[in-house]
Short mmCIF file of all heavy atoms in Angstrom, two decimals:
data_model
loop_
_atom_site.label_atom_id
_atom_site.label_comp_id
_atom_site.label_asym_id
_atom_site.label_seq_id
_atom_site.Cartn_x
_atom_site.Cartn_y
_atom_site.Cartn_z
N MET X 1 3.01 24.35 7.14
CA MET X 1 2.05 23.48 6.47
C MET X 1 0.64 23.98 6.75
O MET X 1 0.31 24.35 7.86
CB MET X 1 2.21 22.05 6.97
CG MET X 1 1.72 21.02 5.96
SD MET X 1 2.20 19.35 6.45
CE MET X 1 0.62 18.71 7.00
N SER X 2 -0.18 24.01 5.73
CA SER X 2 -1.53 24.53 5.89
C SER X 2 -2.45 23.49 6.53
O SER X 2 -2.23 22.29 6.43
CB SER X 2 -2.10 24.96 4.55
OG SER X 2 -2.12 23.86 3.67
N PHE X 3 -3.48 24.01 7.16
CA PHE X 3 -4.47 23.16 7.80
C PHE X 3 -5.25 22.41 6.75
O PHE X 3 -5.71 23.00 5.77
CB PHE X 3 -5.40 24.04 8.63
CG PHE X 3 -6.50 23.29 9.32
CD1 PHE X 3 -6.24 22.57 10.47
CD2 PHE X 3 -7.79 23.30 8.81
CE1 PHE X 3 -7.25 21.87 11.12
CE2 PHE X 3 -8.80 22.60 9.45
CZ PHE X 3 -8.53 21.90 10.59
N ARG X 4 -5.40 21.12 6.94
CA ARG X 4 -6.16 20.32 5.96
C ARG X 4 -7.38 19.73 6.63
O ARG X 4 -7.27 18.75 7.36
CB ARG X 4 -5.26 19.24 5.38
CG ARG X 4 -4.22 19.86 4.45
CD ARG X 4 -3.22 18.89 3.98
NE ARG X 4 -3.78 17.74 3.29
CZ ARG X 4 -3.01 16.78 2.77
NH1 ARG X 4 -1.72 16.88 2.87
NH2 ARG X 4 -3.56 15.77 2.17
N PRO X 5 -8.50 20.34 6.38
CA PRO X 5 -9.73 19.86 7.02
C PRO X 5 -10.22 18.56 6.41
O PRO X 5 -9.86 18.20 5.28
CB PRO X 5 -10.72 20.99 6.76
CG PRO X 5 -10.24 21.62 5.50
CD PRO X 5 -8.73 21.47 5.50
N CYS X 6 -11.03 17.87 7.16
CA CYS X 6 -11.68 16.65 6.70
C CYS X 6 -12.53 16.97 5.47
O CYS X 6 -13.10 18.05 5.36
CB CYS X 6 -12.56 16.14 7.85
SG CYS X 6 -13.54 14.70 7.45
N SER X 7 -12.60 16.05 4.54
CA SER X 7 -13.35 16.27 3.31
C SER X 7 -14.86 16.19 3.50
O SER X 7 -15.61 16.63 2.63
CB SER X 7 -12.96 15.22 2.25
OG SER X 7 -11.57 15.22 2.07
N ARG X 8 -15.27 15.59 4.59
CA ARG X 8 -16.71 15.44 4.80
C ARG X 8 -17.36 16.80 5.02
O ARG X 8 -16.79 17.66 5.70
CB ARG X 8 -16.99 14.55 6.02
CG ARG X 8 -16.44 13.16 5.89
CD ARG X 8 -17.24 12.33 4.90
NE ARG X 8 -16.62 11.01 4.74
CZ ARG X 8 -17.14 10.03 4.04
NH1 ARG X 8 -18.29 10.20 3.43
NH2 ARG X 8 -16.53 8.89 3.93
N VAL X 9 -18.53 16.96 4.47
CA VAL X 9 -19.25 18.22 4.57
C VAL X 9 -19.50 18.59 6.03
O VAL X 9 -19.90 17.74 6.83
CB VAL X 9 -20.59 18.12 3.82
CG1 VAL X 9 -21.40 19.41 4.00
CG2 VAL X 9 -20.34 17.85 2.35
N ALA X 10 -19.20 19.83 6.36
CA ALA X 10 -19.47 20.38 7.69
C ALA X 10 -18.64 19.75 8.80
O ALA X 10 -18.96 19.90 9.97
CB ALA X 10 -20.95 20.26 8.04
N CYS X 11 -17.59 19.05 8.46
CA CYS X 11 -16.73 18.49 9.49
C CYS X 11 -15.53 19.41 9.69
O CYS X 11 -14.80 19.67 8.74
CB CYS X 11 -16.25 17.09 9.10
SG CYS X 11 -15.20 16.34 10.37
N PRO X 12 -15.34 19.92 10.90
CA PRO X 12 -14.28 20.89 11.16
C PRO X 12 -12.96 20.26 11.58
O PRO X 12 -11.99 20.96 11.82
CB PRO X 12 -14.86 21.72 12.30
CG PRO X 12 -15.68 20.72 13.08
CD PRO X 12 -16.19 19.69 12.08
N GLU X 13 -12.94 18.94 11.69
CA GLU X 13 -11.75 18.27 12.21
C GLU X 13 -10.60 18.32 11.20
O GLU X 13 -10.80 18.42 10.00
CB GLU X 13 -12.07 16.81 12.52
CG GLU X 13 -13.14 16.63 13.57
CD GLU X 13 -12.70 17.17 14.92
OE1 GLU X 13 -11.53 17.01 15.27
OE2 GLU X 13 -13.55 17.77 15.60
N GLU X 14 -9.39 18.21 11.74
CA GLU X 14 -8.22 18.17 10.88
C GLU X 14 -8.04 16.75 10.36
O GLU X 14 -8.31 15.77 11.06
CB GLU X 14 -6.98 18.60 11.66
CG GLU X 14 -5.75 18.67 10.77
CD GLU X 14 -4.58 19.35 11.47
OE1 GLU X 14 -4.67 19.54 12.71
OE2 GLU X 14 -3.61 19.67 10.80
N SER X 15 -7.59 16.63 9.13
CA SER X 15 -7.43 15.32 8.53
C SER X 15 -6.35 14.50 9.21
O SER X 15 -5.31 15.01 9.60
CB SER X 15 -7.08 15.47 7.05
OG SER X 15 -8.13 16.10 6.38
N ALA X 16 -6.63 13.20 9.32
CA ALA X 16 -5.66 12.30 9.93
C ALA X 16 -5.36 11.14 9.00
O ALA X 16 -4.43 10.37 9.21
CB ALA X 16 -6.20 11.77 11.25
N ALA X 17 -6.15 10.99 7.94
CA ALA X 17 -5.97 9.86 7.03
C ALA X 17 -6.37 10.28 5.62
O ALA X 17 -7.06 11.28 5.42
CB ALA X 17 -6.82 8.68 7.48
N THR X 18 -5.92 9.51 4.67
CA THR X 18 -6.28 9.77 3.28
C THR X 18 -6.89 8.53 2.66
O THR X 18 -6.35 7.43 2.78
CB THR X 18 -5.04 10.19 2.46
OG1 THR X 18 -4.54 11.42 2.98
CG2 THR X 18 -5.40 10.39 0.99
N LEU X 19 -8.02 8.72 2.03
CA LEU X 19 -8.70 7.63 1.35
C LEU X 19 -8.45 7.81 -0.15
O LEU X 19 -8.77 8.85 -0.73
CB LEU X 19 -10.20 7.68 1.65
CG LEU X 19 -11.07 6.59 1.05
CD1 LEU X 19 -10.72 5.23 1.64
CD2 LEU X 19 -12.54 6.90 1.28
N THR X 20 -7.87 6.79 -0.76
CA THR X 20 -7.53 6.86 -2.18
C THR X 20 -8.29 5.79 -2.95
O THR X 20 -8.34 4.63 -2.53
CB THR X 20 -6.01 6.64 -2.37
OG1 THR X 20 -5.31 7.57 -1.57
CG2 THR X 20 -5.64 6.85 -3.84
N PHE X 21 -8.85 6.18 -4.06
CA PHE X 21 -9.62 5.24 -4.87
C PHE X 21 -8.80 4.78 -6.06
O PHE X 21 -8.29 5.59 -6.83
CB PHE X 21 -10.92 5.89 -5.36
CG PHE X 21 -11.92 6.08 -4.26
CD1 PHE X 21 -12.08 7.32 -3.67
CD2 PHE X 21 -12.67 5.02 -3.81
CE1 PHE X 21 -13.01 7.51 -2.66
CE2 PHE X 21 -13.60 5.19 -2.79
CZ PHE X 21 -13.76 6.43 -2.22
N ASP X 22 -8.68 3.48 -6.18
CA ASP X 22 -8.02 2.89 -7.34
C ASP X 22 -9.11 2.32 -8.24
O ASP X 22 -9.63 1.23 -8.01
CB ASP X 22 -7.07 1.79 -6.89
CG ASP X 22 -6.25 1.25 -8.06
OD1 ASP X 22 -6.73 1.34 -9.21
OD2 ASP X 22 -5.16 0.73 -7.82
N TYR X 23 -9.47 3.10 -9.24
CA TYR X 23 -10.61 2.72 -10.07
C TYR X 23 -10.37 1.48 -10.92
O TYR X 23 -11.30 0.76 -11.25
CB TYR X 23 -11.02 3.90 -10.96
CG TYR X 23 -11.63 5.02 -10.16
CD1 TYR X 23 -10.84 6.05 -9.65
CD2 TYR X 23 -12.99 5.03 -9.89
CE1 TYR X 23 -11.39 7.08 -8.89
CE2 TYR X 23 -13.56 6.05 -9.14
CZ TYR X 23 -12.76 7.07 -8.65
OH TYR X 23 -13.30 8.07 -7.90
N SER X 24 -9.15 1.23 -11.26
CA SER X 24 -8.87 0.06 -12.10
C SER X 24 -9.06 -1.24 -11.34
O SER X 24 -9.42 -2.26 -11.92
CB SER X 24 -7.45 0.15 -12.67
OG SER X 24 -6.51 0.21 -11.62
N ASP X 25 -8.83 -1.22 -10.03
CA ASP X 25 -8.97 -2.43 -9.22
C ASP X 25 -10.20 -2.41 -8.33
O ASP X 25 -10.40 -3.31 -7.52
CB ASP X 25 -7.73 -2.62 -8.34
CG ASP X 25 -6.51 -2.98 -9.15
OD1 ASP X 25 -6.68 -3.58 -10.23
OD2 ASP X 25 -5.40 -2.65 -8.73
N SER X 26 -11.02 -1.35 -8.43
CA SER X 26 -12.18 -1.20 -7.54
C SER X 26 -11.76 -1.37 -6.09
O SER X 26 -12.34 -2.13 -5.33
CB SER X 26 -13.27 -2.21 -7.90
OG SER X 26 -13.82 -1.91 -9.15
N MET X 27 -10.73 -0.65 -5.74
CA MET X 27 -10.17 -0.77 -4.41
C MET X 27 -10.02 0.61 -3.79
O MET X 27 -9.55 1.54 -4.43
CB MET X 27 -8.81 -1.46 -4.51
CG MET X 27 -8.26 -1.94 -3.20
SD MET X 27 -6.82 -3.01 -3.49
CE MET X 27 -5.58 -1.79 -3.88
N ALA X 28 -10.46 0.71 -2.55
CA ALA X 28 -10.29 1.95 -1.80
C ALA X 28 -9.25 1.71 -0.72
O ALA X 28 -9.36 0.75 0.03
CB ALA X 28 -11.61 2.38 -1.17
N VAL X 29 -8.26 2.55 -0.67
CA VAL X 29 -7.18 2.37 0.30
C VAL X 29 -7.20 3.50 1.32
O VAL X 29 -7.12 4.67 0.97
CB VAL X 29 -5.81 2.33 -0.40
CG1 VAL X 29 -4.70 2.13 0.63
CG2 VAL X 29 -5.78 1.22 -1.44
N LEU X 30 -7.32 3.11 2.58
CA LEU X 30 -7.32 4.09 3.65
C LEU X 30 -5.98 4.00 4.37
O LEU X 30 -5.62 2.97 4.92
CB LEU X 30 -8.45 3.78 4.63
CG LEU X 30 -8.70 4.79 5.74
CD1 LEU X 30 -9.10 6.13 5.17
CD2 LEU X 30 -9.76 4.27 6.67
N GLY X 31 -5.24 5.08 4.34
CA GLY X 31 -3.91 5.06 4.94
C GLY X 31 -3.59 6.38 5.61
O GLY X 31 -4.45 7.25 5.72
N PRO X 32 -2.37 6.51 6.05
CA PRO X 32 -1.94 7.75 6.70
C PRO X 32 -2.11 8.94 5.76
O PRO X 32 -2.12 8.79 4.55
CB PRO X 32 -0.45 7.51 6.99
CG PRO X 32 -0.29 6.03 6.98
CD PRO X 32 -1.29 5.52 5.99
N LEU X 33 -2.26 10.09 6.34
CA LEU X 33 -2.45 11.31 5.56
C LEU X 33 -1.34 11.49 4.52
O LEU X 33 -0.17 11.43 4.85
CB LEU X 33 -2.48 12.51 6.51
CG LEU X 33 -2.87 13.85 5.90
CD1 LEU X 33 -4.32 13.82 5.42
CD2 LEU X 33 -2.67 14.95 6.92
N SER X 34 -1.75 11.67 3.29
CA SER X 34 -0.76 11.83 2.23
C SER X 34 -0.12 13.22 2.33
O SER X 34 -0.73 14.15 2.84
CB SER X 34 -1.42 11.65 0.86
OG SER X 34 -2.38 12.65 0.65
N LEU X 35 1.08 13.32 1.82
CA LEU X 35 1.80 14.59 1.91
C LEU X 35 1.22 15.64 0.99
O LEU X 35 1.29 16.82 1.24
CB LEU X 35 3.28 14.37 1.58
CG LEU X 35 4.02 13.51 2.62
CD1 LEU X 35 5.47 13.32 2.18
CD2 LEU X 35 3.98 14.15 3.99
N ARG X 36 0.65 15.19 -0.11
CA ARG X 36 0.01 16.17 -1.00
C ARG X 36 -1.28 15.58 -1.55
O ARG X 36 -1.46 14.37 -1.54
CB ARG X 36 0.95 16.54 -2.15
CG ARG X 36 1.37 15.37 -2.99
CD ARG X 36 2.61 15.72 -3.79
NE ARG X 36 3.09 14.54 -4.51
CZ ARG X 36 2.87 14.34 -5.80
NH1 ARG X 36 2.22 15.22 -6.51
NH2 ARG X 36 3.32 13.26 -6.38
N ARG X 37 -2.12 16.46 -1.97
CA ARG X 37 -3.42 16.03 -2.46
C ARG X 37 -3.30 15.35 -3.81
O ARG X 37 -2.63 15.83 -4.70
CB ARG X 37 -4.35 17.24 -2.60
CG ARG X 37 -4.81 17.78 -1.26
CD ARG X 37 -5.75 18.96 -1.47
NE ARG X 37 -6.34 19.39 -0.20
CZ ARG X 37 -7.39 18.78 0.33
NH1 ARG X 37 -7.96 17.77 -0.29
NH2 ARG X 37 -7.88 19.20 1.47
N GLU X 38 -3.99 14.22 -3.94
CA GLU X 38 -4.03 13.50 -5.21
C GLU X 38 -5.43 13.65 -5.78
O GLU X 38 -6.39 13.87 -5.06
CB GLU X 38 -3.72 12.02 -4.97
CG GLU X 38 -2.39 11.75 -4.27
CD GLU X 38 -1.21 12.09 -5.16
OE1 GLU X 38 -1.39 12.20 -6.37
OE2 GLU X 38 -0.10 12.25 -4.61
N PRO X 39 -5.56 13.49 -7.10
CA PRO X 39 -6.86 13.69 -7.76
C PRO X 39 -7.97 12.78 -7.24
O PRO X 39 -9.11 13.20 -7.16
CB PRO X 39 -6.57 13.39 -9.23
CG PRO X 39 -5.10 13.58 -9.37
CD PRO X 39 -4.50 13.20 -8.04
N HIS X 40 -7.63 11.55 -6.90
CA HIS X 40 -8.67 10.61 -6.51
C HIS X 40 -8.60 10.25 -5.03
O HIS X 40 -8.92 9.16 -4.62
CB HIS X 40 -8.57 9.32 -7.35
CG HIS X 40 -8.78 9.58 -8.80
ND1 HIS X 40 -9.96 10.08 -9.30
CD2 HIS X 40 -7.96 9.43 -9.85
CE1 HIS X 40 -9.85 10.22 -10.62
NE2 HIS X 40 -8.64 9.83 -10.97
N SER X 41 -8.16 11.19 -4.23
CA SER X 41 -8.06 10.90 -2.81
C SER X 41 -8.83 11.94 -2.00
O SER X 41 -9.03 13.07 -2.43
CB SER X 41 -6.60 10.87 -2.37
OG SER X 41 -6.06 12.16 -2.42
N PHE X 42 -9.23 11.51 -0.82
CA PHE X 42 -9.98 12.38 0.07
C PHE X 42 -9.36 12.33 1.45
O PHE X 42 -9.10 11.25 1.97
CB PHE X 42 -11.44 11.91 0.16
CG PHE X 42 -12.14 11.93 -1.17
CD1 PHE X 42 -12.09 10.82 -2.00
CD2 PHE X 42 -12.84 13.06 -1.59
CE1 PHE X 42 -12.73 10.83 -3.24
CE2 PHE X 42 -13.48 13.08 -2.82
CZ PHE X 42 -13.42 11.96 -3.65
N ASP X 43 -9.14 13.50 2.01
CA ASP X 43 -8.60 13.55 3.37
C ASP X 43 -9.74 13.39 4.36
O ASP X 43 -10.80 14.00 4.21
CB ASP X 43 -7.91 14.89 3.61
CG ASP X 43 -6.69 15.05 2.73
OD1 ASP X 43 -6.13 14.02 2.33
OD2 ASP X 43 -6.32 16.20 2.44
N LEU X 44 -9.50 12.59 5.38
CA LEU X 44 -10.54 12.34 6.39
C LEU X 44 -9.97 12.50 7.78
O LEU X 44 -8.81 12.17 8.02
CB LEU X 44 -11.10 10.92 6.23
CG LEU X 44 -11.84 10.61 4.94
CD1 LEU X 44 -12.14 9.12 4.88
CD2 LEU X 44 -13.11 11.42 4.84
N CYS X 45 -10.80 12.96 8.69
CA CYS X 45 -10.38 13.03 10.09
C CYS X 45 -10.40 11.61 10.66
O CYS X 45 -10.91 10.68 10.02
CB CYS X 45 -11.31 13.96 10.89
SG CYS X 45 -12.98 13.33 11.06
N GLU X 46 -9.89 11.48 11.86
CA GLU X 46 -9.79 10.15 12.46
C GLU X 46 -11.15 9.48 12.58
O GLU X 46 -11.32 8.30 12.30
CB GLU X 46 -9.15 10.30 13.84
CG GLU X 46 -8.88 8.98 14.51
CD GLU X 46 -8.60 9.18 15.99
OE1 GLU X 46 -8.08 10.24 16.35
OE2 GLU X 46 -8.92 8.26 16.77
N ARG X 47 -12.15 10.26 12.99
CA ARG X 47 -13.48 9.68 13.21
C ARG X 47 -14.10 9.22 11.89
O ARG X 47 -14.61 8.11 11.78
CB ARG X 47 -14.38 10.72 13.87
CG ARG X 47 -15.74 10.20 14.27
CD ARG X 47 -16.46 11.19 15.17
NE ARG X 47 -16.75 12.43 14.44
CZ ARG X 47 -17.89 12.61 13.77
NH1 ARG X 47 -18.81 11.69 13.77
NH2 ARG X 47 -18.10 13.74 13.12
N HIS X 48 -14.02 10.07 10.88
CA HIS X 48 -14.61 9.70 9.61
C HIS X 48 -13.82 8.59 8.92
O HIS X 48 -14.38 7.79 8.17
CB HIS X 48 -14.72 10.93 8.70
CG HIS X 48 -15.94 11.75 8.99
ND1 HIS X 48 -15.88 13.09 9.31
CD2 HIS X 48 -17.25 11.38 9.03
CE1 HIS X 48 -17.13 13.52 9.52
NE2 HIS X 48 -17.97 12.52 9.37
N ALA X 49 -12.53 8.54 9.17
CA ALA X 49 -11.74 7.44 8.61
C ALA X 49 -12.22 6.12 9.17
O ALA X 49 -12.31 5.11 8.48
CB ALA X 49 -10.26 7.65 8.93
N ARG X 50 -12.55 6.13 10.46
CA ARG X 50 -13.02 4.91 11.10
C ARG X 50 -14.40 4.50 10.59
O ARG X 50 -14.73 3.32 10.52
CB ARG X 50 -13.09 5.12 12.62
CG ARG X 50 -12.29 4.10 13.40
CD ARG X 50 -12.64 4.10 14.88
NE ARG X 50 -12.86 5.42 15.43
CZ ARG X 50 -11.98 6.06 16.21
NH1 ARG X 50 -10.84 5.51 16.50
NH2 ARG X 50 -12.25 7.24 16.70
N LEU X 51 -15.22 5.49 10.26
CA LEU X 51 -16.59 5.22 9.83
C LEU X 51 -16.69 4.88 8.36
O LEU X 51 -17.72 4.43 7.88
CB LEU X 51 -17.47 6.45 10.12
CG LEU X 51 -17.68 6.79 11.59
CD1 LEU X 51 -18.44 8.10 11.73
CD2 LEU X 51 -18.43 5.67 12.29
N THR X 52 -15.61 5.11 7.64
CA THR X 52 -15.63 4.91 6.20
C THR X 52 -15.76 3.43 5.83
O THR X 52 -15.14 2.57 6.42
CB THR X 52 -14.34 5.46 5.57
OG1 THR X 52 -14.35 6.87 5.69
CG2 THR X 52 -14.25 5.09 4.10
N SER X 53 -16.60 3.18 4.85
CA SER X 53 -16.70 1.83 4.30
C SER X 53 -16.65 1.95 2.78
O SER X 53 -16.94 3.00 2.22
CB SER X 53 -17.99 1.15 4.75
OG SER X 53 -19.11 1.91 4.35
N ALA X 54 -16.29 0.88 2.14
CA ALA X 54 -16.14 0.90 0.70
C ALA X 54 -17.51 0.90 0.01
O ALA X 54 -18.46 0.33 0.53
CB ALA X 54 -15.35 -0.31 0.25
N PRO X 55 -17.59 1.53 -1.15
CA PRO X 55 -18.84 1.49 -1.91
C PRO X 55 -19.16 0.05 -2.33
O PRO X 55 -18.29 -0.82 -2.29
CB PRO X 55 -18.52 2.34 -3.15
CG PRO X 55 -17.33 3.15 -2.78
CD PRO X 55 -16.56 2.33 -1.79
N GLN X 56 -20.40 -0.17 -2.70
CA GLN X 56 -20.83 -1.50 -3.15
C GLN X 56 -19.90 -2.02 -4.24
O GLN X 56 -19.62 -1.33 -5.21
CB GLN X 56 -22.26 -1.41 -3.69
CG GLN X 56 -22.91 -2.75 -3.97
CD GLN X 56 -23.46 -3.38 -2.69
OE1 GLN X 56 -23.95 -2.69 -1.82
NE2 GLN X 56 -23.35 -4.68 -2.59
N GLY X 57 -19.43 -3.24 -4.07
CA GLY X 57 -18.58 -3.84 -5.09
C GLY X 57 -17.12 -3.46 -4.99
O GLY X 57 -16.30 -3.90 -5.79
N TRP X 58 -16.80 -2.63 -3.99
CA TRP X 58 -15.42 -2.21 -3.82
C TRP X 58 -14.80 -2.91 -2.62
O TRP X 58 -15.48 -3.31 -1.68
CB TRP X 58 -15.34 -0.70 -3.60
CG TRP X 58 -15.52 0.10 -4.85
CD1 TRP X 58 -16.63 0.10 -5.66
CD2 TRP X 58 -14.58 0.98 -5.46
NE1 TRP X 58 -16.43 0.94 -6.71
CE2 TRP X 58 -15.19 1.50 -6.62
CE3 TRP X 58 -13.30 1.39 -5.12
CZ2 TRP X 58 -14.55 2.41 -7.45
CZ3 TRP X 58 -12.66 2.31 -5.95
CH2 TRP X 58 -13.27 2.80 -7.11
N GLN X 59 -13.49 -3.00 -2.67
CA GLN X 59 -12.75 -3.56 -1.55
C GLN X 59 -12.09 -2.42 -0.79
O GLN X 59 -11.52 -1.52 -1.40
CB GLN X 59 -11.69 -4.52 -2.08
CG GLN X 59 -10.95 -5.25 -0.99
CD GLN X 59 -9.78 -6.07 -1.53
OE1 GLN X 59 -9.42 -5.94 -2.69
NE2 GLN X 59 -9.20 -6.88 -0.69
N LEU X 60 -12.20 -2.46 0.52
CA LEU X 60 -11.56 -1.42 1.32
C LEU X 60 -10.34 -1.99 2.03
O LEU X 60 -10.44 -2.98 2.75
CB LEU X 60 -12.54 -0.86 2.36
CG LEU X 60 -11.96 0.21 3.28
CD1 LEU X 60 -11.59 1.46 2.48
CD2 LEU X 60 -12.94 0.57 4.38
N VAL X 61 -9.23 -1.38 1.80
CA VAL X 61 -7.99 -1.81 2.44
C VAL X 61 -7.56 -0.75 3.43
O VAL X 61 -7.39 0.41 3.08
CB VAL X 61 -6.87 -2.02 1.39
CG1 VAL X 61 -5.57 -2.40 2.09
CG2 VAL X 61 -7.28 -3.10 0.41
N ARG X 62 -7.42 -1.15 4.68
CA ARG X 62 -6.96 -0.21 5.71
C ARG X 62 -5.49 -0.47 6.00
O ARG X 62 -5.14 -1.53 6.51
CB ARG X 62 -7.77 -0.40 6.99
CG ARG X 62 -9.23 0.00 6.84
CD ARG X 62 -9.98 -0.32 8.11
NE ARG X 62 -11.42 -0.13 7.94
CZ ARG X 62 -12.05 1.02 8.22
NH1 ARG X 62 -11.38 2.04 8.68
NH2 ARG X 62 -13.35 1.13 8.02
N LEU X 63 -4.68 0.50 5.70
CA LEU X 63 -3.27 0.37 6.02
C LEU X 63 -3.09 0.65 7.51
O LEU X 63 -3.79 1.47 8.09
CB LEU X 63 -2.45 1.38 5.21
CG LEU X 63 -2.59 1.25 3.70
CD1 LEU X 63 -1.70 2.29 3.01
CD2 LEU X 63 -2.20 -0.14 3.24
N ARG X 64 -2.16 -0.03 8.10
CA ARG X 64 -1.94 0.14 9.53
C ARG X 64 -1.40 1.55 9.79
O ARG X 64 -0.47 2.01 9.15
CB ARG X 64 -0.93 -0.89 10.03
CG ARG X 64 -1.04 -1.15 11.50
CD ARG X 64 -0.33 -2.44 11.83
NE ARG X 64 -1.17 -3.61 11.57
CZ ARG X 64 -2.13 -4.02 12.38
NH1 ARG X 64 -2.39 -3.36 13.48
NH2 ARG X 64 -2.82 -5.09 12.09
N MET X 65 -2.02 2.21 10.75
CA MET X 65 -1.62 3.58 11.06
C MET X 65 -0.54 3.57 12.13
O MET X 65 -0.52 2.69 13.00
CB MET X 65 -2.82 4.36 11.57
CG MET X 65 -4.04 4.25 10.65
SD MET X 65 -3.91 5.28 9.20
CE MET X 65 -4.54 6.81 9.88
N THR X 66 0.30 4.57 12.09
CA THR X 66 1.39 4.60 13.05
C THR X 66 1.11 5.53 14.22
O THR X 66 1.73 5.43 15.26
CB THR X 66 2.70 5.04 12.37
OG1 THR X 66 2.45 6.24 11.66
CG2 THR X 66 3.20 3.98 11.43
N THR X 67 0.13 6.43 14.04
CA THR X 67 -0.17 7.36 15.12
C THR X 67 -1.06 6.71 16.16
O THR X 67 -1.92 5.90 15.86
CB THR X 67 -0.86 8.61 14.58
OG1 THR X 67 -2.00 8.20 13.82
CG2 THR X 67 0.07 9.40 13.68
N ASP X 68 -0.87 7.09 17.40
CA ASP X 68 -1.65 6.51 18.49
C ASP X 68 -3.15 6.79 18.34
O ASP X 68 -3.98 5.96 18.63
CB ASP X 68 -1.19 7.09 19.83
CG ASP X 68 0.21 6.63 20.17
OD1 ASP X 68 0.62 5.56 19.64
OD2 ASP X 68 0.90 7.33 20.91
N GLY X 69 -3.47 7.96 17.84
CA GLY X 69 -4.86 8.36 17.73
C GLY X 69 -5.65 7.49 16.78
O GLY X 69 -6.87 7.48 16.82
N ALA X 70 -4.99 6.78 15.89
CA ALA X 70 -5.70 5.99 14.89
C ALA X 70 -5.79 4.53 15.28
O ALA X 70 -6.06 3.68 14.46
CB ALA X 70 -5.00 6.13 13.55
N ALA X 71 -5.57 4.23 16.53
CA ALA X 71 -5.66 2.84 16.97
C ALA X 71 -7.03 2.27 16.65
O ALA X 71 -8.03 2.96 16.73
CB ALA X 71 -5.40 2.75 18.46
N GLY X 72 -7.07 1.05 16.28
CA GLY X 72 -8.34 0.44 15.95
C GLY X 72 -8.51 0.27 14.45
O GLY X 72 -9.40 -0.41 14.00
N LEU X 73 -7.66 0.93 13.67
CA LEU X 73 -7.71 0.73 12.23
C LEU X 73 -6.92 -0.51 11.88
O LEU X 73 -5.71 -0.57 12.04
CB LEU X 73 -7.10 1.93 11.50
CG LEU X 73 -7.95 3.21 11.51
CD1 LEU X 73 -7.21 4.30 10.77
CD2 LEU X 73 -9.28 2.95 10.86
N ASP X 74 -7.62 -1.49 11.42
CA ASP X 74 -6.96 -2.74 11.06
C ASP X 74 -7.40 -3.17 9.69
O ASP X 74 -8.32 -2.63 9.11
CB ASP X 74 -7.30 -3.83 12.07
CG ASP X 74 -6.34 -3.79 13.26
OD1 ASP X 74 -5.15 -3.59 13.02
OD2 ASP X 74 -6.81 -3.95 14.39
N CYS X 75 -6.78 -4.19 9.21
CA CYS X 75 -7.18 -4.73 7.92
C CYS X 75 -8.63 -5.18 8.00
O CYS X 75 -9.05 -5.79 8.97
CB CYS X 75 -6.29 -5.91 7.54
SG CYS X 75 -6.66 -6.57 5.92
N ALA X 76 -9.39 -4.87 6.98
CA ALA X 76 -10.83 -5.16 7.00
C ALA X 76 -11.13 -6.64 6.77
O ALA X 76 -12.24 -7.09 6.97
CB ALA X 76 -11.53 -4.32 5.95
N GLU X 77 -10.14 -7.37 6.39
CA GLU X 77 -10.40 -8.77 6.05
C GLU X 77 -10.22 -9.68 7.27
O GLU X 77 -9.35 -9.48 8.05
CB GLU X 77 -9.49 -9.24 4.94
CG GLU X 77 -9.86 -8.54 3.64
CD GLU X 77 -8.91 -8.92 2.52
OE1 GLU X 77 -7.74 -9.20 2.78
OE2 GLU X 77 -9.36 -8.93 1.37
ZN1 ZN T 101 -14.42 14.35 9.55
#
């Protein structure tokens, strides 16, 4: 499997989560790293996944992560 870097500019970390945008529902879903790249998703490292917030008017849904390193990711509501 190839190395998948974080999508953030100049971030060298390996991705640990995937942020997917559902444009029809104005919903951003942050979950475990997807197996393959999707058109409207962005891979993020653990740190950037934690720092991510939804754009204005969007809802951010954090799926519970199973890896130990992602502890602290909880539902935003
Ligand atoms: Zn990053």
Side-chain angles (χ1 to χ4, degrees):
M1 205 169 106
S2 60
F3 178 78
R4 289 173 57 178
C6 176
S7 306
R8 299 288 177 174
V9 176
C11 181
E13 298 296 321
E14 184 169 12
S15 297
T18 296
L19 182 66
T20 305
F21 288 101
D22 186 334
Y23 290 91
S24 59
D25 290 332
S26 292
M27 194 169 76
V29 180
L30 186 63
L33 189 65
S34 63
L35 293 178
R36 60 198 175 102
R37 287 181 173 278
E38 304 291 343
H40 298 298
S41 69
F42 300 88
D43 295 335
L44 295 172
C45 67
E46 185 195 330
R47 186 168 65 90
H48 277 124
R50 235 195 320 256
L51 294 174
T52 292
S53 58
Q56 190 80 36
W58 283 61
Q59 185 187 10
L60 179 65
V61 177
R62 293 175 188 268
L63 302 181
R64 203 163 278 281
M65 309 283 275
T66 51
T67 53
D68 292 336
L73 287 179
D74 273 319
C75 183
E77 292 176 329

